[in-house]
Amino acid sequence: MTTNFSSDVDVGRRQEWMRLLACSEPAELQMLWDGLRNKPEFQQLRPSESGLLMTRGRMGGTGDAFNLGEITVTRCSVRTEDGHIGHAYVTGRDRAHAERAAMCDAMLQDPGRAVSVERIILMPLRMSEQKRRSKRGAQVAATKVDFFTMVRGED
Amino acid sequence: MTNVDTLSPGFSDPVAQIQVAFRRILDATAQPGTVVAIGEELSPPKGLHAAAAAVLLTLADYETPIWLSDGLFQGQRQRDAAREFLKFHCGASIIDAPNDAAFAILDGGDVTPALDAFNRCSLPRDECCLPLW
């Protein structure tokens, strides 16, 4: 990838919003995006395209890396009229989702627009992600099983 | 502003446009002397000819090191812009040693370096391709 992380955007914060945008529900992102005003003109640097990506894992986080399987990924890169460049990589084949996520990433790097994108798009996304997580957490917690090993008294 | 980048777009419809460019490159190389036009739709960074950019966007990828002649650029800024453009759109690495290059882009009037600075390996796959403008 290119190294166009701008010096005045914190990499950690950008990772957080890129993850949030990529993991969001496409329909919800579209709704929030439509509610955003004063959007700049965008130019596509690399139009949305889908491809395969090999996911890798490590057993227990420490073993040798192994190939878990391929997933479909769609990526997009855009540039605002002011020259801010946004990228997005999302799972699946939703090209519009990748494009919207890239446009949000570009706008979030623009100090003049970041505040409204943060408020109108990121905050609702954070809340619905929180909701999804706690719902899933509750579903999983309901099926929790505790395992006990009885003391075997061999001594 | 500090974070304004100069990265230019590549092909807007990569699959179709690259197929057209590939066909024309084949025509031009298979029938020496044939004049073809490619890259009209591209506006690459200064120093990189649109046709040169089209050849690289069509043929180069992360496995094809590219060497760019200094004669193409006026100053380091232009050179860096071209490097960024190629890295972003082809994933290719831009190298300093012409001998390791799979593609070398030269200005037609360039006299340096001499042709034997490029890889003339007997295996066709290791040979360096020299599009000239």
Side-chain angles (χ1 to χ4, degrees):
Chain A
M1 282 311 302
T2 53
T3 50
N4 53 37
F5 287 120
S6 43
S7 53
D8 49 350
V9 174
D10 179 52
V11 173
R13 279 191 56 220
R14 189 169 179 207
Q15 284 175 338
E16 193 262 342
W17 77 54
M18 286 178 88
R19 187 194 62 77
L20 195 64
L21 290 162
C23 296
S24 65
E25 287 291 329
E28 187 185 13
L29 181 59
Q30 178 179 5
M31 198 189 68
L32 296 169
W33 174 256
D34 291 342
L36 189 68
R37 278 177 299 175
N38 295 331
K39 286 179 277 224
E41 291 288 316
F42 287 97
Q43 189 180 27
Q44 297 215 333
L45 283 181
R46 182 164 54 204
S48 287
E49 57 186 10
S50 301
L52 291 174
L53 207 69
M54 179 60 79
T55 52
R56 309 191 80 196
R58 287 176 193 278
M59 285 292 181
T62 52
D64 287 341
F66 64 92
N67 293 343
L68 186 65
E70 281 176 329
I71 55 166
T72 317
V73 171
T74 302
R75 67 176 179 182
C76 183
S77 299
V78 299
R79 185 175 67 181
T80 66
E81 56 196 356
D82 314 314
H84 295 279
I85 292 178
H87 304 288
Y89 282 73
V90 305
T91 51
R93 288 177 302 170
D94 192 333
R95 298 173 63 165
H97 183 200
E99 194 180 333
R100 264 179 224 114
M103 292 192 289
C104 290
D105 179 43
M107 286 177 75
L108 282 159
Q109 293 169 72
D110 182 345
R113 302 183 198 272
V115 178
S116 62
V117 181
E118 169 75 36
R119 192 167 49 84
I120 294 172
I121 295 186
L122 292 190
M123 275 168 61
L125 287 184
R126 267 191 212 106
M127 280 169 62
S128 42
E129 182 178 56
Q130 191 65 42
K131 251 187 233 160
R132 273 203 306 274
R133 280 184 176 230
S134 39
K135 189 178 166 200
R136 177 94 182 119
Q139 282 171 339
V140 173
T143 62
K144 185 183 172 193
V145 177
D146 287 319
F147 290 95
F148 298 100
T149 306
M150 303 300 259
V151 179
R152 292 195 291 176
E154 277 154 354
D155 300 323
Chain B
M1 269 189 285
T2 52
N3 54 351
V4 167
D5 216 288
T6 51
L7 198 53
S8 328
F11 287 115
S12 56
D13 181 8
V15 176
Q17 287 169 334
I18 284 177
Q19 283 178 4
V20 171
F22 187 69
R23 178 72 245 175
R24 292 185 185 162
I25 294 167
L26 279 185
D27 282 345
T29 48
Q31 301 164 57
T34 310
V35 177
V36 297
I38 53 170
E40 306 97 323
E41 59 276 72
L42 292 174
S43 46
K46 271 213 172 94
L48 204 57
H49 193 282
V55 168
L56 293 177
L57 260 53
T58 305
L59 301 177
D61 66 6
Y62 64 94
E63 285 181 324
T64 49
I66 298 169
W67 182 85
L68 300 171
S69 161
D70 278 332
L72 297 167
F73 308 104
Q74 291 164 355
Q76 192 61 30
R77 246 184 105 86
Q78 276 191 10
R79 202 184 158 78
D80 288 346
R83 177 187 288 256
E84 277 299 305
F85 177 83
L86 293 173
K87 267 172 70 181
F88 180 76
H89 290 294
C90 315
S93 51
I94 312 295
I95 53 167
D96 296 326
N99 190 37
D100 297 328
F103 286 95
I105 302 295
L106 298 150
D107 183 47
D110 233 340
V111 285
T112 53
L115 283 182
D116 54 7
F118 298 102
N119 196 348
R120 291 177 301 161
C121 186
S122 53
L123 290 168
R125 67 183 172 86
D126 289 337
E127 261 171 1
C128 182
C129 174
L130 295 171
L132 297 171
W133 277 272

